[in-house]
mmCIF file of all heavy atoms in Angstrom:
data_model
loop_
_atom_site.group_PDB
_atom_site.id
_atom_site.type_symbol
_atom_site.label_atom_id
_atom_site.label_comp_id
_atom_site.label_asym_id
_atom_site.label_seq_id
_atom_site.Cartn_x
_atom_site.Cartn_y
_atom_site.Cartn_z
ATOM 1 N N LYS A 16 -55.870 -64.491 11.478
ATOM 2 C CA LYS A 16 -55.543 -63.562 12.572
ATOM 3 C C LYS A 16 -54.075 -63.176 12.536
ATOM 4 O O LYS A 16 -53.718 -62.014 12.738
ATOM 5 C CB LYS A 16 -55.891 -64.199 13.920
ATOM 6 C CG LYS A 16 -57.367 -64.275 14.192
ATOM 7 C CD LYS A 16 -57.641 -64.893 15.558
ATOM 8 C CE LYS A 16 -59.135 -65.013 15.816
ATOM 9 N NZ LYS A 16 -59.428 -65.624 17.120
ATOM 10 N N ASN A 17 -53.208 -64.157 12.267
ATOM 11 C CA ASN A 17 -51.776 -63.855 12.176
ATOM 12 C C ASN A 17 -51.486 -62.900 11.024
ATOM 13 O O ASN A 17 -50.667 -61.985 11.136
ATOM 14 C CB ASN A 17 -50.968 -65.145 11.984
ATOM 15 C CG ASN A 17 -50.932 -66.012 13.256
ATOM 16 O OD1 ASN A 17 -51.109 -65.481 14.349
ATOM 17 N ND2 ASN A 17 -50.733 -67.301 13.105
ATOM 18 N N ASP A 18 -52.177 -63.125 9.905
ATOM 19 C CA ASP A 18 -51.986 -62.228 8.764
ATOM 20 C C ASP A 18 -52.442 -60.817 9.098
ATOM 21 O O ASP A 18 -51.808 -59.822 8.733
ATOM 22 C CB ASP A 18 -52.755 -62.751 7.546
ATOM 23 C CG ASP A 18 -52.121 -64.036 6.991
ATOM 24 O OD1 ASP A 18 -50.909 -64.256 7.310
ATOM 25 O OD2 ASP A 18 -52.792 -64.756 6.244
ATOM 26 N N GLU A 19 -53.589 -60.710 9.809
ATOM 27 C CA GLU A 19 -54.083 -59.377 10.190
ATOM 28 C C GLU A 19 -53.105 -58.694 11.140
ATOM 29 O O GLU A 19 -52.826 -57.493 11.030
ATOM 30 C CB GLU A 19 -55.464 -59.507 10.851
ATOM 31 C CG GLU A 19 -56.553 -59.866 9.860
ATOM 32 C CD GLU A 19 -57.896 -60.066 10.557
ATOM 33 O OE1 GLU A 19 -57.951 -59.856 11.797
ATOM 34 O OE2 GLU A 19 -58.857 -60.396 9.878
ATOM 35 N N LYS A 20 -52.568 -59.457 12.113
ATOM 36 C CA LYS A 20 -51.608 -58.879 13.064
ATOM 37 C C LYS A 20 -50.347 -58.410 12.330
ATOM 38 O O LYS A 20 -49.800 -57.344 12.606
ATOM 39 C CB LYS A 20 -51.238 -59.918 14.133
ATOM 40 C CG LYS A 20 -52.332 -60.163 15.140
ATOM 41 C CD LYS A 20 -51.901 -61.183 16.178
ATOM 42 C CE LYS A 20 -52.997 -61.471 17.179
ATOM 43 N NZ LYS A 20 -52.586 -62.477 18.171
ATOM 44 N N ALA A 21 -49.861 -59.235 11.389
ATOM 45 C CA ALA A 21 -48.665 -58.865 10.640
ATOM 46 C C ALA A 21 -48.918 -57.620 9.810
ATOM 47 O O ALA A 21 -48.075 -56.724 9.708
ATOM 48 C CB ALA A 21 -48.231 -60.019 9.739
ATOM 49 N N ALA A 22 -50.127 -57.556 9.204
ATOM 50 C CA ALA A 22 -50.458 -56.377 8.391
ATOM 51 C C ALA A 22 -50.545 -55.142 9.267
ATOM 52 O O ALA A 22 -50.072 -54.060 8.900
ATOM 53 C CB ALA A 22 -51.783 -56.621 7.661
ATOM 54 N N ASP A 23 -51.178 -55.292 10.463
ATOM 55 C CA ASP A 23 -51.266 -54.146 11.382
ATOM 56 C C ASP A 23 -49.876 -53.712 11.842
ATOM 57 O O ASP A 23 -49.574 -52.514 11.937
ATOM 58 C CB ASP A 23 -52.126 -54.513 12.600
ATOM 59 C CG ASP A 23 -53.595 -54.710 12.222
ATOM 60 O OD1 ASP A 23 -53.979 -54.208 11.135
ATOM 61 O OD2 ASP A 23 -54.333 -55.342 13.005
ATOM 62 N N LYS A 24 -49.019 -54.674 12.136
ATOM 63 C CA LYS A 24 -47.663 -54.349 12.586
ATOM 64 C C LYS A 24 -46.900 -53.617 11.503
ATOM 65 O O LYS A 24 -46.206 -52.619 11.739
ATOM 66 C CB LYS A 24 -46.938 -55.638 12.981
ATOM 67 C CG LYS A 24 -45.574 -55.387 13.593
ATOM 68 C CD LYS A 24 -44.971 -56.708 14.044
ATOM 69 C CE LYS A 24 -43.603 -56.448 14.672
ATOM 70 N NZ LYS A 24 -42.952 -57.704 15.096
ATOM 71 N N THR A 25 -47.002 -54.098 10.250
ATOM 72 C CA THR A 25 -46.322 -53.456 9.130
ATOM 73 C C THR A 25 -46.849 -52.041 8.919
ATOM 74 O O THR A 25 -46.083 -51.103 8.677
ATOM 75 C CB THR A 25 -46.531 -54.280 7.847
ATOM 76 O OG1 THR A 25 -46.080 -55.620 8.078
ATOM 77 C CG2 THR A 25 -45.769 -53.677 6.678
ATOM 78 N N ALA A 26 -48.179 -51.897 9.016
ATOM 79 C CA ALA A 26 -48.774 -50.568 8.841
ATOM 80 C C ALA A 26 -48.304 -49.621 9.942
ATOM 81 O O ALA A 26 -48.006 -48.445 9.696
ATOM 82 C CB ALA A 26 -50.300 -50.668 8.841
ATOM 83 N N ALA A 27 -48.192 -50.131 11.180
ATOM 84 C CA ALA A 27 -47.732 -49.303 12.300
ATOM 85 C C ALA A 27 -46.280 -48.898 12.108
ATOM 86 O O ALA A 27 -45.890 -47.751 12.365
ATOM 87 C CB ALA A 27 -47.907 -50.059 13.615
ATOM 88 N N GLU A 28 -45.455 -49.828 11.615
ATOM 89 C CA GLU A 28 -44.050 -49.500 11.379
ATOM 90 C C GLU A 28 -43.904 -48.448 10.290
ATOM 91 O O GLU A 28 -43.112 -47.513 10.394
ATOM 92 C CB GLU A 28 -43.281 -50.772 10.992
ATOM 93 C CG GLU A 28 -43.088 -51.720 12.164
ATOM 94 C CD GLU A 28 -42.404 -53.008 11.737
ATOM 95 O OE1 GLU A 28 -42.191 -53.179 10.509
ATOM 96 O OE2 GLU A 28 -42.081 -53.821 12.607
ATOM 97 N N GLU A 29 -44.687 -48.612 9.213
ATOM 98 C CA GLU A 29 -44.636 -47.637 8.136
ATOM 99 C C GLU A 29 -45.076 -46.255 8.620
ATOM 100 O O GLU A 29 -44.504 -45.236 8.259
ATOM 101 C CB GLU A 29 -45.511 -48.090 6.966
ATOM 102 C CG GLU A 29 -44.929 -49.301 6.236
ATOM 103 C CD GLU A 29 -45.852 -49.777 5.143
ATOM 104 O OE1 GLU A 29 -46.951 -49.181 5.003
ATOM 105 O OE2 GLU A 29 -45.470 -50.695 4.409
ATOM 106 N N THR A 30 -46.113 -46.252 9.451
ATOM 107 C CA THR A 30 -46.594 -44.976 10.000
ATOM 108 C C THR A 30 -45.529 -44.331 10.871
ATOM 109 O O THR A 30 -45.280 -43.112 10.793
ATOM 110 C CB THR A 30 -47.869 -45.205 10.828
ATOM 111 O OG1 THR A 30 -48.840 -45.879 10.012
ATOM 112 C CG2 THR A 30 -48.438 -43.882 11.314
#
Side-chain angles (χ1 to χ4, degrees):
K16 287 181 182 179
N17 289 336
D18 290 340
E19 288 177 3
K20 286 181 181 179
D23 292 341
K24 186 176 181 182
T25 304
E28 288 176 354
E29 290 177 358
T30 305

